[in-house]
Amino acid sequence: YVEIVKHFFPRHLVIQAKVTNAPYSSGAGAPITSYGQSTAEQQAQTVLTDVAFVVAESSEEEAIQPMLQVPLQVLPPKMTGSAWCVLSAAPGTMDGPTAQLTCELRYSVQSADAAAAILPGAGNSSILSRTFVEELHDLEVHASHFS
């Protein structure tokens, strides 16, 4: 689950992506895997790492440009954390009153057991993880929001 919060400043836009690491629930009962755990039980034990909110494209490339990303390093199961993206903004140079931002959430998934090894002090960098890219809804940014 991802909630987007936009913070406007005169020359910058800061986008906060509040990400919740919650298992998917289909409501019809989770299928059982060959290991005896349901898919929901496995998902409940996954840790998200390197969670980054990315502005992949801007309809106003000259006026609104990504400057900095602050990813969320580790997001344990059933927890919420924030990833940040800072964009420079020159709303006076926008061609129209609205810009469209194409956004993605990029993250890696690991089992809770494997993720314990990446916590500070664990010293194990050989953990395998799978990386995902999810397209999010485009965001509208109005020039008037900056004033």
Side-chain angles (χ1 to χ4, degrees):
Y1 174 75
V2 180
E3 177 186 352
I4 302 297
V5 180
K6 297 180 268 186
H7 304 275
F8 290 91
F9 300 92
R11 309 256 324 134
H12 294 90
L13 168 60
V14 178
I15 300 175
Q16 176 184 9
K18 294 182 184 179
V19 181
T20 301
N21 184 0
Y24 172 76
S25 174
S26 66
I32 302 298
T33 67
S34 60
Y35 301 159
Q37 284 185 313
S38 70
T39 304
E41 287 172 329
Q42 286 181 335
Q43 288 175 343
Q45 297 175 9
T46 60
V47 174
L48 304 181
T49 59
D50 299 320
V51 181
F53 178 84
V54 177
V55 174
E57 190 175 318
S58 170
S59 65
E60 293 285 345
E61 289 183 19
E62 298 297 319
I64 300 177
Q65 299 179 351
M67 283 180 43
L68 174 69
Q69 291 176 359
V70 181
L72 183 59
Q73 296 300 315
V74 178
L75 185 59
K78 301 178 185 175
M79 298 296 290
T80 299
S82 293
W84 303 82
C85 183
V86 179
L87 298 102
S88 65
T93 64
M94 288 175 59
D95 292 332
T98 305
Q100 296 287 329
L101 304 178
T102 302
C103 304
E104 300 173 342
L105 189 69
R106 298 178 185 174
Y107 57 94
S108 296
V109 175
Q110 300 176 339
S111 72
D113 294 337
I118 65 165
L119 296 174
N124 187 350
S125 61
S126 63
I127 302 298
L128 295 176
S129 63
R130 185 167 176 199
T131 302
F132 293 88
V133 176
E134 284 188 34
E135 291 183 23
L136 302 174
H137 291 288
D138 288 355
L139 296 179
E140 274 192 4
V141 176
H142 301 272
S144 61
H145 289 154
F146 293 95
S147 53

